[in-house]
C-alpha cells in the first residue's frame, strides 16, 4: 500500500512547476483576494503563501472512532483541503487578511487557538476525526475519499459561523465549461477564501491574470503533532516553507468548491451583487442566487455543536446567534 501511495504522490508534480521558476513579468498575482506584483514583490508573495496554514496527510494519530485508521494517507486529501479553507476563514476573521507568519516567531494567542482546532485529535473541533465521522451522515464511510461538495457539507455541519456572526460561503460546481468564470471569480471577488478541487492538485490558493494557479498540496504524509507541555503547538510543519507549486488552470479537475469569506452581512450583500454583475450575467451559469429558499428543498437547519466537548468549540456559534445572520432573508446559493 505504501509503495502505491508513494507512486501516486510522485505523480503529483507532473503538471506543476515551482514559483521560483516563474517568468519575470509585470503581471499581478492574486493570493486569496490580495494582489502582488510578481516582478517587484516576489518575496512578499512567497511570505504571504507561507503564512497560510497547510494541512497534509498525517500518520500516527489516535485511531478514528477508536478502532479506525490512524493515518489519512491516500483518502484524506479533500478533508485536509477543507481544513485549509476553514482555517483561512478563521484567520481572516480573528487575525485579519494582512496578518503574517514568520518562522520561530511568537504568534498571537488567537493563532494558537485556531491551529489547535485542527489538530488530529477527536477532541479538536475541526480535526480529521470530527470531519471523517461527520461524513458518515453524508454517506461516506470513515477512510473513504470525499469529494468537494461532501467536504463543503461537512464544514457546514461543523459550523461555518463563528461567535461574531461571520460567514464562509462555499460554492460547489463542475468546472468543465466554466474555466473563464472561475478565473474571474478568483480575481474579481475580493472576499475570496480558497479553492478546493479534486485529485491530484487539491488546494488552490492563488490565481494570477494568466492561466495559472498557485497551490498548496496536501499529498505529503507527516507525523502527528500534538500540543506541547506549555500549551502551544510547534507549527513548523503546518506551513509550507518550500517554494509553492503552480499549475495551468486547464489541468484543474472537473469538480471544485470555491470558498469566500464574509466578515459582516454587508460583505455578503456585496458578494451577491458582484456575483450577479460579473458572474451570473452569462447564459451558462455555474450556480444561481435566489431570494427565497426553494420550496422543494428541505428546511434550513443551522449547524449544531458537536455532541462531544471539543477544543476550540468557542469558534462555533449558537443557534440563537446564527438567526441574527439569516441567509434566507438575503439569497440562497444553488449549485449546478
Amino acid at each position: 500500500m505504501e509503495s502505491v501511495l508513494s507512486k501516486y504522490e510522485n505523480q503529483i508534480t507532473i503538471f506543476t512547476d515551482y514559483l521560483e521558476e516563474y517568468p519575470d513579468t509585470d503581471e499581478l498575482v492574486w493570493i486569496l483576494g490580495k494582489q502582488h506584483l510578481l516582478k517587484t514583490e516576489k518575496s512578499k508573495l512567497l511570505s504571504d503563501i507561507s503564512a497560510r496554514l497547510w494541512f497534509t496527510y498525517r500518520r500516527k494519530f489516535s485511531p478514528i472512532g477508536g478502532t479506525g485508521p490512524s493515518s489519512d494517507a491516500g483518502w484524506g486529501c479533500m478533508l485536509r483541503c477543507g481544513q485549509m479553507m476553514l482555517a483561512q476563514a478563521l484567520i481572516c476573521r480573528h487575525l485579519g487578511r494582512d496578518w503574517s507568519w514568520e518562522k520561530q516567531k511568537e504568534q498571537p494567542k488567537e493563532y494558537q487557538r485556531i491551529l489547535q482546532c485542527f489538530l488530529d485529535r477527536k477532541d479538536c473541533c475541526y480535526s480529521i476525526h470530527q470531519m471523517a465521522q461527520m461524513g458518515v451522515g453524508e454517506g461516506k464511510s470513515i477512510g473513504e475519499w470525499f469529494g468537494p461538495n461532501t467536504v463543503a457539507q461537512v464544514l457546514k455541519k461543523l459550523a461555518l459561523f463563528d461567535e461574531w456572526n461571520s460567514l464562509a460561503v462555499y460554492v460547489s460546481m463542475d468546472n468543465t465549461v466554466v474555466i473563464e468564470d472561475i478565473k474571474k471569480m478568483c480575481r474579481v471577488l475580493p472576499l475570496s477564501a480558497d479553492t478546493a478541487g479534486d485529485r491530484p492538485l487539491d488546494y488552490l490558493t492563488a490565481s494570477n491574470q494568466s492561466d495559472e494557479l498557485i497551490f498548496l498540496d496536501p499529498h505529503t504524509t507527516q507525523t502527528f503533532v500534538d500540543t506541547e507541555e506549555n500549551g502551544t503547538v510547534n507549527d513548523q510543519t503546518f506551513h509550507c516553507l518550500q517554494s509553492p507549486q503552480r499549475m495551468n488552470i486547464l489541468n484543474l479537475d472537473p469538480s471544485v468548491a470555491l470558498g469566500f469569506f464574509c466578515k459582516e452581512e454587508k460583505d455578503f450583500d456585496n458578494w451577491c451583487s458582484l456575483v450577479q454583475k460579473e458572474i451570473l450575467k452569462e447564459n451558462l451559469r455555474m450556480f444561481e442566487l435566489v431570494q427565497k429558499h426553494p420550496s422543494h428543498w428541505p428546511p434550513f437547519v443551522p449547524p449544531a455543536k458537536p455532541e462531544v466537548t471539543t477544543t476550540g468549540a468557542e469558534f462555533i456559534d449558537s443557534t440563537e446567534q446564527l438567526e441574527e445572520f439569516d441567509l434566507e432573508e438575503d439569497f440562497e446559493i444553488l449549485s449546478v
Side-chain angles (χ1 to χ4, degrees):
M1 180 65 177
E2 291 184 359
S3 61
V4 174
L5 292 177
S6 176
K7 180 179 179 181
Y8 170 68
E9 292 182 357
N10 289 336
Q11 291 176 341
I12 293 171
T13 59
I14 292 177
F15 298 111
T16 63
D17 295 298
Y18 288 94
L19 192 63
E20 58 192 13
E21 301 169 352
Y22 213 95
D24 187 16
T25 71
D26 293 323
E27 283 193 14
L28 289 173
V29 178
W30 294 83
I31 305 294
L32 303 178
K34 186 176 182 179
Q35 66 180 30
H36 299 270
L37 185 59
L38 182 62
K39 195 169 187 177
T40 60
E41 299 178 335
K42 186 174 180 180
S43 61
K44 290 183 179 180
L45 187 152
L46 292 172
S47 296
D48 193 9
I49 296 173
S50 66
R52 303 311 112 209
L53 281 173
W54 178 44
F55 297 118
T56 70
Y57 292 149
R58 295 276 174 173
R59 59 188 178 89
K60 295 186 178 180
F61 50 70
S62 61
I64 298 176
T67 58
S70 57
S71 172
D72 63 312
W75 61 270
C77 49
M78 276 305 310
L79 295 177
R80 298 303 185 178
C81 294
Q83 287 181 324
M84 285 189 269
M85 296 178 79
L86 182 54
Q88 176 61 23
L90 289 173
I91 284 176
C92 285
R93 180 61 189 89
H94 297 279
L95 298 173
R97 175 60 185 87
D98 293 329
W99 169 81
S100 62
W101 175 88
E102 293 182 24
K103 185 178 180 180
Q104 297 180 337
K105 178 182 178 181
E106 185 177 355
Q107 302 298 331
K109 63 180 181 179
E110 291 84 0
Y111 166 79
Q112 282 288 331
R113 288 170 62 200
I114 292 171
L115 180 55
Q116 290 178 22
C117 289
F118 295 90
L119 296 182
D120 299 320
R121 295 181 353 205
K122 66 178 181 180
D123 62 339
C124 294
C125 59
Y126 305 131
S127 65
I128 192 78
H129 298 66
Q130 290 288 337
M131 295 186 71
Q133 291 183 309
M134 194 67 74
V136 173
E138 298 296 323
K140 295 291 184 179
S141 302
I142 295 176
E144 185 177 355
W145 182 87
F146 284 33
N149 182 62
T150 303
V151 168
Q153 296 304 317
V154 167
L155 291 177
K156 176 182 176 181
K157 288 185 176 182
L158 287 176
L160 298 179
F161 302 80
D162 69 11
E163 58 189 357
W164 283 272
N165 294 327
S166 296
L167 169 67
V169 178
Y170 297 92
V171 182
S172 302
M173 67 191 71
D174 187 321
N175 75 7
T176 306
V177 291
V178 291
I179 290 293
E180 291 303 317
D181 279 344
I182 290 178
K183 290 165 60 179
K184 188 182 296 184
M185 291 184 78
C186 290
R187 294 196 298 266
V188 172
L189 302 178
L191 304 173
S192 178
D194 314 305
T195 310
D198 204 342
R199 59 154 184 86
L201 307 168
D202 281 316
Y203 179 65
L204 306 171
T205 61
S207 173
N208 64 12
Q209 292 189 11
S210 64
D211 292 330
E212 293 189 319
L213 298 168
I214 300 167
F215 66 95
L216 296 179
D217 194 336
H219 299 94
T220 296
T221 304
Q222 303 187 90
T223 303
F224 163 64
V225 173
D226 203 351
T227 307
E228 298 184 342
E229 292 184 0
N230 62 4
T232 64
V233 178
N234 184 337
D235 64 352
Q236 301 304 299
T237 62
F238 291 99
H239 294 270
C240 186
L241 302 180
Q242 63 187 27
S243 295
Q245 294 173 290
R246 58 192 176 91
M247 61 173 287
N248 190 290
I249 196 171
L250 295 179
N251 291 324
L252 187 63
D253 217 273
S255 182
V256 296
L258 304 181
F260 302 90
F261 171 73
C262 304
K263 184 176 181 179
E264 300 174 340
E265 187 167 359
K266 66 179 182 179
D267 294 328
F268 179 68
D269 292 336
N270 291 337
W271 183 87
C272 290
S273 297
L274 275 172
V275 165
Q276 290 179 314
K277 179 181 178 181
E278 301 292 342
I279 308 300
L280 300 184
K281 60 185 179 181
E282 304 296 335
N283 291 329
L284 189 60
R285 300 181 175 185
M286 295 183 289
F287 58 92
E288 294 181 283
L289 294 177
V290 295
Q291 291 283 354
K292 295 182 179 180
H293 191 89
S295 59
H296 61 281
W297 277 33
F300 174 76
V301 179
K305 293 183 180 181
E307 295 181 359
V308 298
T309 301
T310 56
T311 300
E314 61 270 21
F315 285 110
I316 303 179
D317 200 358
S318 67
T319 300
E320 289 77 13
Q321 290 173 309
L322 284 172
E323 290 175 350
E324 296 175 9
F325 192 177
D326 191 349
L327 287 184
E328 295 184 43
E329 294 181 359
D330 292 293
F331 288 96
E332 194 75 26
I333 301 172
L334 307 182
S335 301
V336 296

